[in-house]
């Protein structure tokens, strides 16, 4: 089964294609100014070209559903739903945090904890078993302070993601390691996507919404003075 993966929840605009569990192509770029609106469809075209496929060959769409950038998630969801409507194929949605832990499972960590930078000292996070990838604590928006994650002080913990930088500066955890250069990536959606396909766990395209976790807070314009 040929599957197109879209991950737009972070600064990494990421597109991949697989044939079942075999990764055929990955096209992604990390940009400080969130280039999903400019880059996503170009990346889809390049990934198809790299995989030597056309859009009509794609049999399912998998989307990293968040949490993360509100705008990035909206762009990814709109594109995924458009492809599914046009091709009459199913939509699968995977928690973006799960794609961040995939490269580190089975590497002798008790826990893998993704940290996606939100505002100020806030992060989007969840806690996963370092061997099995099982979710131990559900996804939440968490404000970091010196006492955060103290219940894991005797565990070997790996914190991953762009929120790990500010966590490293304040957390009092002697056994913790930090990987600050990791973003959600389409290539690590494959395993969970295939599990969901096997379980026929598809999204209702008409009603699907990304996992925003928090409401969008826009910037109010100041009224001009007369």
């Amino acid at each position: 089964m040929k599957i197109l993966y879209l991950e737009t929840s972070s600064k990494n605009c990421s597109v991949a294609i697989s044939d079942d569990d075999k990764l055929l192509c990955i096209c992604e770029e990390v940009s400080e100014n969130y280039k999903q609106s400019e880059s996503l469809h170009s990346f889809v075209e390049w990934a198809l070209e790299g995989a030597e496929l056309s859009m009509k060959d794609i049999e399912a769409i998998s989307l990293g559903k968040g949490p993360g950038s509100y705008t990035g998630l909206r762009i990814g969801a709109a594109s995924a739903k458009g492809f599914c409507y046009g091709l009459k194929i199913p939509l699968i949605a995977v928690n973006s945090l799960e794609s961040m832990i995939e490269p580190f499972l089975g590497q002798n960590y008790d826990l893998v904890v993704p940290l996606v930078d939100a505002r100020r000292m806030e992060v989007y996070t969840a806690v996963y078993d370092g061997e099995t990838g099982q979710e131990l604590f559900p996804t939440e928006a968490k404000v970091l302070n010196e006492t955060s994650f103290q219940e894991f002080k005797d565990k070997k913990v790996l914190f991953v993601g762009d929120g790990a930088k500010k966590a490293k500066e304040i957390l009092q955890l002697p056994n913790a390691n930090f990987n600050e250069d990791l973003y959600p990536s389409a290539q690590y959606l494959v395993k969970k996507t295939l599990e969901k396909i096997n379980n026929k766990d598809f999204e209702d395209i008409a009603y699907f919404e990304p996992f925003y976790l928090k409401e969008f807070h826009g910037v109010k314009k100041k009224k001009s003075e007369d």
Side-chain angles (χ1 to χ4, degrees):
M1 187 177 199
K2 295 175 179 63
I3 306 164
L4 174 67
Y5 304 84
L6 308 178
E7 175 50 78
T8 61
S9 67
S10 72
K11 295 175 183 177
N12 186 30
C13 182
S14 181
V15 175
I17 297 174
S18 81
D19 188 353
D20 290 331
D21 62 351
K22 181 183 177 183
L23 189 68
L24 300 180
C25 194
I26 172 76
C27 184
E28 60 186 6
E29 181 185 13
V30 176
S31 172
E32 288 298 318
N33 57 351
Y34 293 91
K35 293 172 63 177
Q36 287 90 336
S37 60
E38 302 168 27
S39 304
L40 182 60
H41 285 275
S42 295
F43 285 10
V44 170
E45 290 177 13
W46 295 343
L48 288 167
E49 185 177 329
E52 298 182 341
L53 298 172
S54 67
M55 203 66 212
K56 70 178 187 301
D57 296 315
I58 300 299
E59 299 166 87
I61 303 291
S62 175
L63 177 69
K65 68 178 181 179
S69 158
Y70 186 90
T71 302
L73 289 171
R74 283 180 62 87
I75 292 167
S79 297
K81 292 167 79 168
F83 290 142
C84 290
Y85 272 124
L87 297 166
K88 295 181 173 57
I89 57 178
L91 172 65
I92 300 95
V94 177
N95 188 315
S96 295
L97 299 183
E98 294 187 19
S99 77
M100 298 173 69
I101 70 168
E102 194 67 29
F104 306 104
L105 297 180
Q107 292 191 15
N108 205 30
Y109 294 106
D110 296 319
L111 305 169
V112 182
V113 181
L115 299 174
V116 172
D117 194 5
R119 297 174 174 218
R120 301 181 183 88
M121 291 309 295
E122 192 170 32
V123 293
Y124 300 130
T125 186
V127 178
Y128 298 90
D129 183 277
E131 282 294 320
T132 66
Q134 179 185 354
E135 183 184 77
L136 302 178
F137 291 82
T139 303
E140 63 173 333
K142 186 181 186 74
V143 177
L144 295 176
N145 58 46
E146 291 82 356
T147 64
S148 297
F149 301 108
Q150 276 296 305
E151 64 268 38
F152 306 136
K153 63 183 178 181
D154 298 323
K155 302 282 189 181
K156 188 174 181 184
V157 185
L158 176 65
F159 293 95
V160 299
D162 60 352
K165 183 176 182 180
K166 57 190 179 186
K168 186 177 182 179
E169 295 171 355
I170 66 166
L171 295 186
Q172 309 293 320
L173 298 172
N175 298 317
N177 291 323
F178 298 84
N179 183 327
E180 305 166 21
D181 301 318
L182 187 94
Y183 295 92
S185 175
Q187 65 184 312
Y188 297 121
L189 296 173
V190 176
K191 182 180 176 183
K192 279 290 180 182
T193 297
L194 292 174
E195 289 177 7
K196 290 199 167 203
I197 290 173
N198 288 336
N199 294 328
K200 294 183 167 39
D201 185 3
F202 304 124
E203 301 297 327
D204 185 323
I205 299 169
Y207 296 101
F208 172 76
E209 288 287 333
F211 185 21
Y212 293 122
L213 195 58
K214 292 201 315 178
E215 293 297 321
F216 176 67
H217 296 288
V219 178
K220 292 183 179 179
K221 292 184 178 180
K222 291 182 179 180
K223 292 182 179 180
S224 58
E225 295 180 2
D226 294 331

